[in-house]
Structures are given as C-alpha cells and as structure tokens.
Amino acid sequence: MFLLLNLSAIGQDSIRYEWKEFRSFDIENEGEWTVDAFENVYISNRGTINKFNKDGQLIFSQSIKSLGRMTELVLVNTMKLVHFSEEQQTLCYFDNTLSEMDDCMELADHEIVNAFMVSSSSQPNKIWVLDNFNSTLSFLSLDRTIQSQRVINLKGILNLQHIVQMIEYGNSLYLLDDEKGIYQFDLYGSLVQFIPQENVKQFTVVGATLYMLVGNQFIIHALDFNESFKIRLPIEGIIEVKEVNQSFFLRTKQKVYKFQVVFS
C-alpha cells in the first residue's frame, strides 16, 4: 500500500522513483523459490533446497531428490515449508532448518486425482489444492483431518480458461486466469469480485493492493476503490514477484533479485 499511496499523492504522470538493488541469488530455469517474513530466501536447484538468510548467506541445505520433481515450494509459516510434487501427487513437509517432518501426504487419500496447483492458507495447518479432475478446489488440513470444504467444477461455474496462479491473502483466495484476469473469492468459495486484465504473467497481493506483472510493468490496482497505476520494473525478463516488508523479490529465469522502490 505504501507504493500506491505515493503514486496517488504525486500523480502517475510525474512519478520520480528509482529501484534500489540489494542482492541476488542464482536459480535454475526450472527452480522453485519462496521468501518468508524474515526475508529468508528458499531456492530449489538440482534436487536440493537451499535457505539463505536476510544477508544472503547460505544457512541450510537439504536434498529432495527422493521426493520427486518439485512443482511448487509453499511457505506455510516461518517454521514449515511444503514440497508439492505434481508428478508424485504428494505434499511433503520441512521445518525451518529444512529437516523433513512426518510422512508425505498422499493426495489420493483425500480423493484428489490430478492436483496441479497448491497455495498456503493463513489458517493454521491448512492448504488449498486445485485438482484438474472436474476442476475441483479443496481446502485440506495438513494434520490429516478431512478437508473442510470443496468446490467442484470451478472452471465450468466461472468459465475460467487457464488458471496459472492461486494465492490466499487477507481472508480472500485469488485465482489468476492469464487470458481474463483475477478472481477474488471469500474463504467459503463464493466469488467476491473479478478484476479484468489480460496477459497477466503473475501477481501478488499486499494489503488491499494487487501488483500485476504485465510485460515489463507492474499494474498496481487498489481493490477498495478500483484505481490502477503503472510502474516500470528495473530489469527485463521478470517472471515472478513477491513482496515482503516493503521489499520486492523479482525472479528471472536465472536470478532472484531483492529490490526496494525509493521515491524522490
């Protein structure tokens, strides 16, 4: 929200700002990554998860070759990570030292046939799972209790074409259809609003603000009063973005960069 307030105050046409780079991390083209609330960066490369602290120092490393190819690395909280493998249809857990926790969850045990996307939840030990079979959205408990809810035929109900991202934030679940825009749901699966925007590669949510990655720009959209601004990104080829503590972590095919926006 800090960025949106600055844009509103000075006017979009007279914005004076610069991106300040702090550090970068190597990542493979097929690597997965995430960032926690303490700005620790987790990167999976060649069958290994590495954890780097806020200063960029490697502090933990763990082999994950036995778990199958990683599809997503999901941060549940600063004490728990989830390794999702679409190939194996499993969820496996690590603590904050990257030590494995418990046995992996077999999604088939929860009547999930072909999961292709997962997202963490603000509710303790819960995770969202999107299943290609009948486009089913399930809300699972990681302590192995029965899922609390399930929405079937999500694509059919909303005429979704191509879901590429899912995020829960602030008691809402957001789904990105890169051909149409972003759908906001409440935690019971009811549609709250739709934000139309074509060609969004990826997005993140901060407070009541959406940061949508379109080309080499952020489209910054205020959810509460439906106003948008654009801001150019500092480097080319960005494919993912995350925001933590007013810092932006920008991922290209080979690097993860940490930047902040400085206004003058």
Side-chain angles (χ1 to χ4, degrees):
M1 198 62 184
F2 80 104
L3 181 54
L4 187 66
L5 291 172
N6 275 284
L7 292 172
S8 299
I10 63 182
Q12 186 176 0
D13 295 332
S14 59
I15 299 169
R16 298 182 62 187
Y17 64 91
E18 64 176 342
W19 289 88
K20 181 179 180 181
E21 181 180 346
F22 286 84
R23 63 186 53 86
S24 65
F25 305 86
D26 292 331
I27 188 170
E28 291 180 325
N29 188 21
E30 300 299 322
E32 299 295 328
W33 68 292
T34 192
V35 186
D36 68 21
F38 300 119
E39 299 185 29
N40 297 306
V41 176
Y42 305 79
I43 294 178
S44 73
N45 276 329
R46 299 184 181 181
T48 301
I49 300 177
N50 293 316
K51 179 178 180 177
F52 301 88
N53 66 14
K54 187 176 181 178
D55 298 320
Q57 299 171 326
L58 177 64
I59 54 175
F60 296 108
S61 186
Q62 177 67 258
S63 173
I64 55 172
K65 292 180 180 178
S66 64
L67 303 180
R69 183 182 178 277
M70 180 189 290
T71 305
E72 289 187 65
L73 181 60
V74 179
L75 182 73
V76 177
N77 53 52
T78 57
M79 301 297 291
K80 193 170 189 176
L81 286 168
V82 172
H83 170 294
F84 166 54
S85 173
E86 183 176 0
E87 175 185 80
Q88 300 292 328
Q89 290 291 293
T90 54
L91 301 176
C92 303
Y93 322 117
F94 298 88
D95 66 16
N96 63 333
T97 68
L98 301 184
S99 299
E100 291 188 56
M101 303 168 60
D102 307 321
D103 296 327
C104 297
M105 176 188 286
E106 300 282 347
L107 291 173
D109 294 342
H110 296 266
E111 300 179 2
I112 294 173
V113 178
N114 186 19
F116 71 101
M117 189 177 297
V118 299
S119 176
S120 61
S121 172
S122 58
Q123 297 188 38
N125 271 328
K126 297 289 182 67
I127 195 164
W128 296 93
V129 180
L130 194 54
D131 189 350
N132 253 331
F133 180 73
N134 209 15
S135 59
T136 301
L137 179 65
S138 297
F139 194 36
L140 299 183
S141 174
L142 294 176
D143 58 11
R144 316 303 172 99
T145 59
I146 298 173
Q147 64 267 11
S148 55
Q149 62 205 62
R150 176 172 289 177
V151 180
I152 298 175
N153 195 23
L154 193 64
K155 288 185 178 180
I157 293 170
L158 298 172
N159 194 27
L160 295 171
Q161 300 299 318
H162 190 210
I163 301 172
V164 297
Q165 191 184 357
M166 176 169 60
I167 293 176
E168 184 199 309
Y169 184 90
N171 295 320
S172 290
L173 182 71
Y174 299 85
L175 293 179
L176 169 61
D177 181 329
D178 62 356
E179 298 179 2
K180 292 187 173 183
I182 296 172
Y183 294 81
Q184 180 185 0
F185 301 86
D186 64 23
L187 297 186
Y188 299 99
S190 299
L191 182 64
V192 175
Q193 66 170 318
F194 169 64
I195 301 95
Q197 178 64 53
E198 296 181 354
N199 302 317
V200 178
K201 291 190 288 187
Q202 198 258 357
F203 75 100
T204 191
V205 188
V206 184
T209 306
L210 281 175
Y211 293 90
M212 295 178 282
L213 182 58
V214 181
N216 197 45
Q217 291 182 324
F218 269 151
I219 294 181
I220 305 167
H221 179 84
L223 293 166
D224 290 342
F225 50 93
N226 197 29
E227 187 172 358
S228 296
F229 299 91
K230 294 181 181 179
I231 184 170
R232 289 199 63 81
L233 293 166
I235 53 177
E236 298 286 341
I238 295 170
I239 56 176
E240 288 184 84
V241 56
K242 301 181 191 293
E243 190 275 350
V244 179
N245 302 332
Q246 299 186 0
S247 293
F248 289 93
F249 292 81
L250 308 176
R251 188 253 171 100
T252 66
K253 290 183 178 180
Q254 293 83 29
K255 295 278 189 179
V256 174
Y257 298 88
K258 177 185 175 181
F259 280 92
Q260 287 184 349
V261 182
V262 179
F263 290 90
S264 57

